[in-house]
Amino acid sequence: MSRVRHYPLRIHQGWKMVRNFFMDCDPEMVSPEDTVMWTDIFMQDILYMEYNDKYGLDLGWGPEADPKGEFILDLVTLEDFEPLLTIETRNLHEVADAIDKITWGVSQGILPSSDPIGTNHSSLSIASAQSISRLDI
């Protein structure tokens, strides 16, 4: 296996990285037969970070090690770990861009709100990568 590096992420103020195995490896460029790459890089627990003991940002690949899978990025409350926002994509750069925009949006109080306590989670919609891309940062 050639040397694979961490994907260079832009993380905004207030976020604390807990786990980072997000590698600069495009799933479209990995052969379905390369089980080492799929097992080592495209796992369920790729990245996790927290914001001010209120929110978590969780990135995984599902189904784990499956060449037909996709990145799954969830913004959750730490209170109950319920997803407030979910993005699913196979595009490495889209997920990195979403991480940048979500961490910025939460740090600015734009996403999903400045205080998760009392938020009606059922009223918050699932977002797509396209809706996140509308954040002008």
Side-chain angles (χ1 to χ4, degrees):
M1 174 169 70
S2 63
R3 178 142 167 81
V4 180
R5 297 178 187 205
H6 281 92
Y7 193 100
L9 293 171
R10 193 167 131 188
I11 309 300
H12 296 273
Q13 187 172 359
W15 286 90
K16 177 181 72 172
M17 186 67 70
V18 176
R19 172 184 60 249
N20 184 6
F21 300 110
F22 185 46
M23 308 309 279
D24 192 357
C25 183
D26 187 340
E28 301 300 331
M29 304 304 288
V30 179
S31 167
E33 289 80 35
D34 191 342
T35 57
V36 172
M37 289 288 276
W38 287 106
T39 303
D40 289 351
I41 294 175
F42 300 98
M43 56 190 137
Q44 183 176 347
D45 297 318
I46 295 174
L47 178 140
Y48 181 74
M49 63 181 89
E50 294 180 347
Y51 179 79
N52 289 347
D53 297 323
K54 292 182 181 180
Y55 298 107
L57 194 59
D58 187 37
L59 175 65
W61 181 268
E64 186 170 50
D66 185 341
K68 294 179 181 156
E70 60 189 350
F71 292 107
I72 303 166
L73 181 66
D74 287 317
L75 175 65
V76 299
T77 63
L78 296 182
E79 179 183 337
D80 58 13
F81 221 72
E82 284 295 314
L84 301 173
L85 183 129
T86 297
I87 295 173
E88 298 177 352
T89 181
R90 288 186 56 85
N91 187 300
L92 178 72
H93 306 295
E94 277 181 12
V95 77
D97 188 52
I99 290 168
D100 173 25
K101 290 178 178 180
I102 291 169
T103 60
W104 180 84
V106 171
S107 71
Q108 297 299 305
I110 297 169
L111 287 174
S113 71
S114 59
D115 185 4
I117 306 304
T119 301
N120 180 359
H121 302 293
S122 62
S123 69
L124 297 169
S125 63
I126 304 268
S128 67
Q130 291 79 22
S131 63
I132 291 298
S133 69
R134 289 187 214 128
L135 285 175
D136 186 26
I137 58 172

